[in-house]
Amino acid sequence: MYYIGVSAYYHEASVFLTDGKGVNCFLKEEYFTRIKGDKNFPKRCINFLIEKFNLNNDNIEYVCFYEKPFKNWWEIFYYSIINPIKNRNLLISHLKNFNQSSIFFYSDINKIIEFPKKKILYAPHHLSHCLNGASFISEHDKYAYITFDGVGDGETISIFVIEKKDLKIKKIFSKKYPHSLGLFYSTITDFLGFEINEGEFKVMSLSSYGKPVYEKEMKKIFDTNNFSLDMSYFNFHTNTNCSFSEKFCKVFGEPYLNINNENNFKKYSNIASSAQFILEETAKNLISKAKELSGKNKFVITGGVALNCKMIQSLSGIENVEEIIVPPSPGDSGSAIGASNFANLYKNKKLFKLNTIFLGPDKKFINQNVEVESYFRKITSDKNFIADAAKKLIDGEIITSYYNKTEIGPRSLGNTSIFCNAKNSAAVKKLNAKVKKREFYQPLAPIICIDDFDKYFQSNSNITLNLEWMGTLCKATESAKKDYSSIIHVDGTCRTQIVKDKNSITYNLLEEIKKLGSDILVNTSFNISNDPVVFDLLDVYVNMKRMNIKYVLMENGLYETKEIWIRF
């Protein structure tokens, strides 16, 4: 019997299927539509699962949506009608989009596969986040669970504890919309000219180039102790097109400036640094609040704000914090996992535990009706292909990977990646600027075998687990600065991924490059700028051609692209 969690309508739509015993499959709708961050009801994901698992009403125990649809819609509506003249634009937009909201989840899913209503569950939004985090740990009662995001079901911050007996979950703190740390940071993202829900990581990267010179001004608009906003600086609650008010601009100046201008870059990096300071101070105060209310010194942090890995590194320095865990996909997309765990808890009075970050479908199944040779030519023997790939990396080639199961979360973790030799600064520069077309202030991430980590990086032990999925930053040692300066950010940090599985292709590839004089690879997601990560072989081929990458490492060999005509 299967439990299916669904997240949709607001951010990246996703679906997670599990039997709670080891059969798992995670999908994003963007894989199929090729629309980055596709938020629409994930009908293609569900159709894929129906085909793979022969789903029907008999073998599905529950389908669980990741929030309470009417509550989520009503909370924003209620806030809007309190002051209908001031909030007119938001109110009109909210009403116009009613028929595209999650309220229609039941009818949308029944267009694909029919269920009785008793098989449909709705989990509270922040509880879905909480249970996503709980899916990656044991001893659930030893942690406090902190969730903070933009808004969900009218809440912006929640703290939970899970009691050992009967796994009873208790909410011990919450903050209501519009007072949102996530929306504060998104407002900064908007002001700096980046896309909301996509550009926050650019603000984080940019912050390392500046200083928090606007700390006092920021603290006037966001109270880091009470977690509240001065709404006179914001417009997100009244205007769907602009997050900040004229009062905000009077303090911080003109928005949307050309960041490539030297003066603008300095100013914007200082604004980003100040916002990052407020984020980190607020998160530290939340940890203190959670410790005070729960008596715990271990924490699971979820919600979209938890994607800020610079913040997670900062939190690791808090005294007497024994452990901090951020799940591999802490945002709304990963909440599909939490929703399915809610259904499992509802039925079986227990939570399942996930032991891998590779929960997507196997590449062989994705392409079961496609011949690899239609697009690619094998250039190595089955025996030596990993060593051959390592040799090309050492020689300065950029190589893609496409093998085994797809990773979850927003970061590629080896199975669906682009690699280059981190020691080759020219290759790193080419990958960042020409292939991925990223801004110069965005660093690339290193990947390394766990046994070599301590030689090049330093990290507090209470966040070590997050290094397996790039969930935090760490500091570069002098050895790293000497030989791998191209992967080190301006503040001396790296978003490093460690690889532990000695049977994996990625681990063996790293072992092979070590024989040739390099311990570290650069690992970035297998996609061109503003596109989703590749899903099937056609995506692989098209992206490689667009990025002018010749070689792809698969499960049984190293391949190069063919010259073919594709009919659309």
Side-chain angles (χ1 to χ4, degrees):
M1 298 298 293
Y2 297 113
Y3 303 87
I4 299 174
V6 180
S7 170
Y9 302 102
Y10 298 104
H11 300 296
E12 293 177 325
S14 60
V15 178
F16 182 66
L17 173 143
T18 184
D19 66 352
K21 300 175 182 178
V23 176
N24 304 297
C25 190
F26 178 88
L27 293 163
K28 295 180 183 179
E29 189 70 358
E30 67 175 23
Y31 293 163
F32 302 94
T33 65
R34 309 311 298 162
I35 300 171
K36 189 170 178 62
D38 194 338
K39 65 181 181 179
N40 292 301
F41 176 79
K43 60 183 179 182
R44 294 166 184 83
C45 294
I46 294 172
N47 282 325
F48 183 94
L49 293 173
I50 289 172
E51 177 186 348
K52 179 172 183 178
F53 295 97
N54 191 28
L55 298 182
N56 54 61
N57 186 39
D58 294 328
N59 61 12
I60 296 175
E61 191 75 62
Y62 288 108
V63 175
C64 183
F65 191 62
Y66 83 124
E67 66 182 14
K68 303 273 191 178
F70 185 76
K71 178 176 175 55
N72 187 66
W73 187 89
W74 173 258
E75 290 286 350
I76 305 298
F77 176 74
Y78 179 76
Y79 180 83
S80 300
I81 61 173
I82 291 175
N83 193 339
I85 297 176
K86 183 179 179 181
N87 300 338
R88 178 176 178 272
N89 290 335
L90 180 67
L91 180 59
I92 291 172
S93 175
H94 202 55
L95 291 170
K96 284 174 66 175
N97 292 321
F98 176 79
N99 62 349
Q100 298 174 11
S101 70
S102 58
I103 289 174
F104 293 90
F105 172 72
Y106 178 71
S107 62
D108 284 342
I109 198 168
N110 267 266
K111 293 174 185 176
I112 302 173
I113 183 169
E114 292 187 4
F115 298 109
K117 283 193 174 182
K118 65 181 182 180
K119 286 196 172 188
I120 304 293
L121 301 176
Y122 299 95
H125 182 99
H126 278 193
L127 184 56
S128 292
H129 279 304
C130 167
L131 294 180
N132 175 29
S135 302
F136 292 89
I137 63 171
S138 304
E139 300 182 301
H140 303 100
D141 59 306
K142 294 189 176 180
Y143 295 81
Y145 301 79
I146 302 172
T147 292
F148 44 7
D149 56 9
V151 60
D153 290 353
E155 294 181 315
T156 60
I157 299 173
S158 296
I159 302 175
F160 298 90
V161 290
I162 300 178
E163 296 179 2
K164 187 173 184 178
K165 184 179 180 181
D166 299 327
L167 291 177
K168 185 178 180 181
I169 302 170
K170 183 180 180 182
K171 185 192 299 180
I172 57 176
F173 177 82
S174 69
K175 196 74 178 179
K176 292 287 188 178
Y177 177 87
H179 300 287
S180 168
L181 182 60
L183 293 176
F184 160 78
Y185 206 81
S186 292
T187 298
I188 302 298
T189 303
D190 185 16
F191 180 83
L192 298 181
F194 303 127
E195 185 179 352
I196 291 177
N197 296 325
E198 289 291 336
E200 282 79 3
F201 70 98
K202 294 183 180 181
V203 178
M204 179 183 69
S205 297
L206 183 62
S207 70
S208 296
Y209 286 84
K211 296 181 179 179
V213 298
Y214 296 101
E215 176 189 343
K216 290 183 179 179
E217 290 84 352
M218 292 282 185
K219 284 189 172 180
K220 289 179 182 178
I221 68 176
F222 191 94
D223 187 327
T224 59
N225 293 304
N226 294 321
F227 320 123
S228 59
L229 297 171
D230 181 339
M231 297 309 299
S232 64
Y233 290 91
F234 298 90
N235 266 357
F236 63 76
H237 59 303
T238 63
N239 190 330
T240 57
N241 297 316
C242 183
S243 300
F244 48 87
S245 68
E246 290 184 8
K247 186 176 179 179
F248 188 98
C249 295
K250 287 179 181 178
V251 176
F252 298 105
E254 185 180 351
Y256 312 138
L257 295 177
N258 178 7
I259 198 170
N260 293 316
N261 176 281
E262 185 177 347
N263 291 330
N264 295 343
F265 182 82
K266 183 178 181 180
K267 179 178 181 179
Y268 273 18
S269 60
N270 286 338
I271 291 174
S273 179
S274 303
Q276 182 70 27
F277 178 88
I278 294 298
L279 177 75
E280 292 176 14
E281 182 170 300
T282 304
K284 289 174 182 177
N285 290 337
L286 269 171
I287 291 279
S288 297
K289 172 70 74 173
K291 287 177 70 174
E292 175 190 344
L293 295 176
S294 69
K296 314 290 185 183
N297 60 3
K298 291 185 176 184
F299 303 93
V300 174
I301 302 179
T302 59
V305 178
L307 285 166
N308 192 298
C309 51
K310 186 176 176 67
M311 175 192 71
I312 301 304
Q313 183 199 29
S314 177
L315 295 179
S316 71
I318 300 175
E319 188 176 357
N320 297 324
V321 170
E322 187 175 339
E323 188 174 28
I324 295 174
I325 293 176
V326 178
S329 185
D332 278 8
S333 177
S335 289
I337 297 173
S340 63
N341 218 348
F342 179 89
N344 183 60
L345 179 63
Y346 182 84
K347 173 66 177 180
N348 300 313
K349 309 302 179 187
K350 64 181 181 180
L351 296 170
F352 59 71
K353 170 118 179 350
L354 299 172
N355 297 308
T356 178
I357 50 181
F358 301 102
L359 295 166
D362 192 284
K363 307 293 197 305
K364 291 179 180 178
F365 180 82
I366 295 171
N367 301 288
Q368 61 182 357
N369 298 319
V370 179
E371 294 292 333
V372 175
E373 290 74 17
S374 299
Y375 305 107
F376 304 96
R377 180 186 299 106
K378 185 184 283 191
I379 60 171
T380 61
S381 67
D382 290 351
K383 183 178 180 181
N384 299 318
F385 71 97
I386 297 179
D388 291 340
K391 177 66 167 55
K392 291 191 179 297
L393 287 165
I394 292 296
D395 290 343
E397 291 284 355
I398 294 170
I399 291 179
T400 65
S401 68
Y402 186 76
Y403 43 73
N404 303 126
K405 292 188 174 183
T406 303
E407 44 270 81
I408 61 171
R411 295 150 186 154
S412 289
L413 301 170
N415 289 10
T416 320
S417 293
I418 303 175
F419 296 130
C420 78
N421 177 14
K423 219 171 200 177
N424 189 323
S425 58
V428 175
K429 185 176 180 180
K430 177 183 176 182
L431 176 56
N432 205 30
K434 295 184 178 180
V435 175
K436 293 288 289 188
K437 303 185 187 304
R438 291 155 59 97
E439 288 82 358
F440 73 90
Y441 51 83
Q442 294 179 252
L444 286 169
I447 183 171
I448 190 170
C449 290
I450 187 170
D451 294 337
D452 301 311
F453 177 82
D454 291 337
K455 181 178 179 181
Y456 298 104
F457 305 105
Q458 295 174 339
S459 177
N460 291 327
S461 60
N462 57 3
I463 54 172
T464 300
L465 182 65
N466 305 288
L467 292 168
E468 294 183 38
W469 47 77
M470 296 187 191
T472 186
L473 300 182
C474 57
K475 293 181 179 179
T477 65
E478 291 304 314
S479 294
K481 293 174 183 177
K482 178 183 177 182
D483 295 327
Y484 299 95
S485 59
S486 60
I487 59 163
I488 301 171
H489 201 29
V490 68
D491 60 2
T493 64
C494 301
R495 193 184 69 191
T496 305
Q497 179 195 351
I498 56 174
V499 182
K500 296 169 66 175
D501 183 3
K502 295 184 178 182
N503 295 316
S504 69
I505 295 176
T506 306
Y507 188 95
N508 283 281
L509 179 64
L510 288 164
E511 287 290 294
E512 288 295 333
I513 69 159
K514 283 171 63 176
K515 297 175 184 177
L516 301 173
S518 181
D519 294 330
I520 305 173
L521 288 175
V522 164
N523 172 25
T524 189
S525 55
F526 191 172
N527 65 310
I528 201 166
S529 181
N530 297 318
D531 277 4
V533 171
V534 301
F535 185 63
D536 62 22
L537 278 171
L538 180 58
D539 297 335
V540 172
Y541 183 85
V542 169
N543 273 267
M544 288 178 67
K545 283 297 184 182
R546 291 176 67 193
M547 293 186 286
N548 197 27
I549 298 176
K550 190 175 182 180
Y551 302 105
V552 55
L553 184 61
M554 299 192 194
E555 290 174 49
N556 65 339
L558 183 65
Y559 291 79
E560 65 178 1
T561 55
K562 287 182 175 180
E563 294 298 325
I564 63 172
W565 289 95
I566 300 177
R567 291 184 177 181
F568 292 97

